[in-house]
Amino acid sequence: MSTAFLIPFLLVSWTKDSVMMPMRDQTELNTNLYFPNDTTQFPLPVLLMRTPYGADNAMNNNTIARWTDGRGYIVATQDCRGRFESQGIDSVFLDDGWRCDKRDGHDAVDWLSSQPWCSGRVGTIGGSACAITQLLLAGASHPAHSCANPVVGAFDMYRHAALPGGEMRQYDIDYWLTRQNARHMLEYYADHYCKDSVWDYLDVWTRQDSLRTPMLFYGGWYDIFSQGTVEGFQACRRLGNARLVMGPWSHLIGIPLVGEILYPRGVFDSLQAFADRWYDWWLKDSGSISHIPPVSYYLMGPVDTAGFWNNWLTADDWPPSADTFCLYLRGGSSLSFYRPGSSEPPDTFVYDPRDPVPSNGGNNLALAAGPRNQHDQLYRDDVLCYVSPPLEQDVVIEGRIWVRLHASSDRLDTDFTAKLVDLYNDARQRKMLVIDGILMARHRNGLGSENLLVPGQVYEFNIDLGNTAYCFPAGHRICLAISSSNSPRFRTNLNNGGHPLRDTVDTLAATNVVHHSAEHPSRMVFQGQGPTGITGPSRGSRVRRGSLLEGTFDAAGRRVLGPGINPATRALRPGCYFQARSGQTRKFVLVE
């Protein structure tokens, strides 16, 4: 059925057709096609959005008009299998990628690219679930899939969505599956709580050698899928046609109010412009993408003081720093850049699943997200806090963070959690969450295997906190909080060694012990820039390849127009941060 629409105030119109598109197994998927009013330009490239949220509501009329008559594309929105008007059974992304019997994304591109009104090139568009369908399609490697712009999507559904660290992301997964009428997938997850081969169909990393699609990734440091966005870029950068934009955002991309912090300059004005040029270049051979930096990222920091942080930077790669540093857990609940040289007594806490540490912020979807004050969470008997002295120099983290925790338990299984917290130096003494992670102890040797604990034996647990870009300025303190729960964000481990997703009884308290000594050096490992005189394990050169994206800023953090140079005296204007370079090393000097 064909319908014409007129948007008077935009002076554009478009025509809509609806088709039932056949897949390889003859299942038909409902697809809306939106054509520009001017058909003399056919054939044209297609922008495809595959969605579980309803093809009819995937784009509003103004957005359709912008892409069709405004920019000369054909737009296709498609209901995923088993959703809304499409046939079949909803398997929550399992049929969107490269399973041998069903490859819905691949088949959709195959059908579209073969139509006489299509130029043979198909780009994909959309965020969240619609970003996941883009990434899975890229893994299916259709030659007509010419470019993509995945916004806040998971690259590996096990690690980045359902079971990070092997523990169920309880609140957000329950919330999302319930809203999609897809709670049947909980049984699927329970059957495959280890990352076995069936998860390969939802892990684009397994298709890294097959990836050919140019990708423009958008994500937020506090988004539920932040790690997926960064890893997706890292997987595609070898092709030389990937770009990454990471802002101080949650799943609500582009909104600078996150958690309890409104980030200065947190809006990135080029999101739409970058996407426009990306599609034009790859789908029309028009314009240029040379001005789009390989990486644009927001370096977060506290808002109780101003500095070079809370600004947009660019880099040639991610992470931009060549160096790696360690912060060691030490006696007296301290955190130090110096490794323990002798025996230090361990620290003990009791984790009771009936009284878990309550969640408060972090990388969430439906649960309250972002940086939030952890005061109530840190002063519990079941939380161990290791705190640095007030920093004498800025410490910048730009990259991935791991906590190598040496610990033991008196139970067969338990969880270990780690939170990185910035202890503010303001009147309120805020304790703001930066990033956190979790690991189920039985998965300490890999998420694809499980090995129960020998009670009392010390193991190393590698807790992945993911990637961030954050500056701890001089005067602040760094806190690393260790515990065993974060509820309802994650399912609580019952500590009994039974089925981790089906057992609901036999709840046991666990006495967990954290070791920090010369023999058991528990530590946080991060990429970035540590204090002068501290050499990281990589013994790198402390090179930072970032550069300011927006010029210089005054002492209050406000942007200063111009280069910060007084044209009459050729001297730096007072109150400006000057960016001095020596090779690729960057320094900021505040001129009083």
Side-chain angles (χ1 to χ4, degrees), residues 354-404:
R354 293 162 293 193
D355 181 26
V357 178
S359 301
N360 187 23
N363 293 56
N364 303 321
L365 176 66
L367 196 63
R372 294 180 180 272
N373 195 339
Q374 301 296 302
H375 182 277
D376 293 342
Q377 283 70 33
L378 299 186
Y379 289 97
R380 289 174 53 106
D381 291 339
D382 55 353
V383 178
L384 301 177
C385 291
Y386 297 89
V387 180
S388 74
L391 297 173
E392 296 181 1
Q393 302 174 52
D394 302 332
V395 172
V396 179
I397 298 178
E398 292 173 316
R400 200 163 189 169
I401 306 169
W402 292 87
V403 172
R404 315 288 194 192

Side-chain angles (χ1 to χ4, degrees), residues 304-324:
D304 66 326
T305 184
F308 61 86
W309 53 92
N310 292 331
N311 284 309
W312 286 95
L313 309 178
T314 64
D316 298 328
D317 202 353
W318 188 266
S321 175
D323 217 346
T324 303

Side-chain angles (χ1 to χ4, degrees), residues 66-244:
R66 184 182 185 278
W67 285 118
T68 54
D69 289 279
R71 300 199 62 82
Y73 291 94
I74 297 167
V75 172
T77 61
Q78 183 177 82
D79 288 323
C80 289
R81 180 181 292 253
R83 303 294 297 159
F84 291 85
E85 304 302 319
S86 285
Q87 298 175 355
I89 299 173
D90 179 18
S91 64
V92 188
F93 304 116
L94 271 170
D95 298 326
D96 294 306
W98 52 88
R99 285 210 298 179
C100 293
D101 55 336
K102 300 182 185 70
R103 299 189 176 195
D104 290 351
H106 181 283
D107 293 352
V109 171
D110 205 52
W111 189 92
L112 290 167
S113 62
S114 65
Q115 300 306 305
W117 34 257
C118 179
S119 66
R121 300 186 194 184
V122 178
T124 51
I125 190 170
S128 192
C130 304
I132 294 171
T133 59
Q134 291 186 70
L135 294 168
L136 292 171
L137 167 56
S141 305
H142 195 292
H145 187 202
S146 301
C147 67
N149 176 209
V151 180
V152 291
F155 206 67
D156 174 355
M157 290 296 291
Y158 184 98
R159 292 185 300 114
H160 303 151
L163 292 150
E167 186 58 87
M168 175 62 74
R169 194 192 293 266
Q170 187 81 53
Y171 189 96
D172 285 338
I173 294 299
D174 278 356
Y175 170 87
W176 193 86
L177 290 177
T178 298
R179 287 178 62 89
Q180 309 312 310
N181 295 316
R183 288 184 62 85
H184 60 276
M185 290 303 294
L186 291 174
E187 276 303 303
Y188 182 89
Y189 299 156
D191 289 341
H192 303 283
Y193 63 84
C194 284
K195 195 175 188 294
D196 57 22
S197 60
V198 303
W199 285 99
D200 289 352
Y201 297 117
L202 296 171
D203 182 359
V204 189
W205 267 114
T206 65
R207 307 286 290 181
Q208 184 174 1
D209 293 339
S210 303
L211 293 174
R212 297 292 182 270
T213 305
M215 300 263 200
L216 173 61
F217 291 90
Y218 290 166
W221 293 125
Y222 286 103
D223 174 42
I224 181 177
F225 302 136
S226 63
Q227 187 63 14
T229 301
V230 171
E231 288 190 24
F233 167 77
Q234 291 173 327
C236 297
R237 64 186 172 185
R238 63 183 176 80
L239 304 174
N241 54 14
R243 302 289 190 274
L244 174 67

Side-chain angles (χ1 to χ4, degrees), residues 208-506:
Q208 184 174 1
D209 293 339
S210 303
L211 293 174
R212 297 292 182 270
T213 305
M215 300 263 200
L216 173 61
F217 291 90
Y218 290 166
W221 293 125
Y222 286 103
D223 174 42
I224 181 177
F225 302 136
S226 63
Q227 187 63 14
T229 301
V230 171
E231 288 190 24
F233 167 77
Q234 291 173 327
C236 297
R237 64 186 172 185
R238 63 183 176 80
L239 304 174
N241 54 14
R243 302 289 190 274
L244 174 67
V245 177
M246 290 295 293
W249 309 314
S250 64
H251 204 60
L252 300 174
I253 197 77
I255 298 179
L257 177 59
V258 186
E260 298 174 10
I261 292 180
L262 175 62
Y263 282 102
R265 293 171 295 278
V267 175
F268 190 79
D269 293 330
S270 298
L271 284 177
Q272 188 62 63
F274 280 10
D276 289 347
R277 293 182 175 92
W278 192 254
Y279 290 126
D280 285 351
W281 175 255
W282 294 109
L283 298 177
K284 295 182 176 181
D285 299 321
S286 174
S288 173
I289 59 172
S290 60
H291 74 292
I292 303 179
V295 179
S296 303
Y297 68 102
Y298 187 96
L299 177 62
M300 301 181 296
V303 291
D304 66 326
T305 184
F308 61 86
W309 53 92
N310 292 331
N311 284 309
W312 286 95
L313 309 178
T314 64
D316 298 328
D317 202 353
W318 188 266
S321 175
D323 217 346
T324 303
F325 292 87
C326 287
L327 270 167
Y328 292 92
L329 281 61
R330 300 295 303 271
S333 300
S334 64
L335 201 60
S336 172
F337 281 98
Y338 296 97
R339 181 186 178 107
S342 60
S343 177
E344 294 183 356
D347 300 313
T348 301
F349 67 95
V350 176
Y351 156 53
D352 188 343
R354 293 162 293 193
D355 181 26
V357 178
S359 301
N360 187 23
N363 293 56
N364 303 321
L365 176 66
L367 196 63
R372 294 180 180 272
N373 195 339
Q374 301 296 302
H375 182 277
D376 293 342
Q377 283 70 33
L378 299 186
Y379 289 97
R380 289 174 53 106
D381 291 339
D382 55 353
V383 178
L384 301 177
C385 291
Y386 297 89
V387 180
S388 74
L391 297 173
E392 296 181 1
Q393 302 174 52
D394 302 332
V395 172
V396 179
I397 298 178
E398 292 173 316
R400 200 163 189 169
I401 306 169
W402 292 87
V403 172
R404 315 288 194 192
L405 188 70
H406 291 250
S408 60
S409 178
D410 65 344
R411 298 300 181 188
L412 297 175
D413 192 28
T414 192
D415 288 346
F416 286 104
T417 65
K419 287 183 178 181
L420 179 61
V421 179
D422 184 350
L423 302 189
Y424 276 34
N425 192 27
D426 63 1
R428 295 167 56 191
Q429 294 293 298
R430 284 176 286 179
K431 303 164 180 65
M432 303 305 293
L433 177 64
V434 177
I435 197 168
D436 60 15
I438 193 169
L439 178 66
M440 188 182 290
R442 70 174 70 194
H443 295 306
R444 64 192 178 278
N445 296 325
L447 298 176
S449 62
E450 57 176 337
N451 303 96
L452 296 180
L453 302 174
V454 174
Q457 182 169 324
V458 180
Y459 301 93
E460 183 178 76
F461 301 94
N462 296 321
I463 307 172
D464 186 3
L465 274 62
N467 281 263
T468 194
Y470 194 90
C471 177
F472 292 86
H476 279 229
R477 293 178 294 161
I478 301 174
C479 172
L480 186 65
I482 303 297
S483 190
S484 290
S485 57
N486 184 348
S487 177
R489 183 181 181 191
F490 295 106
R491 195 175 194 271
T492 52
N493 194 318
L494 303 186
N495 301 323
N496 60 25
H499 194 290
L501 299 185
R502 290 201 173 106
D503 279 3
T504 58
V505 296
D506 196 17

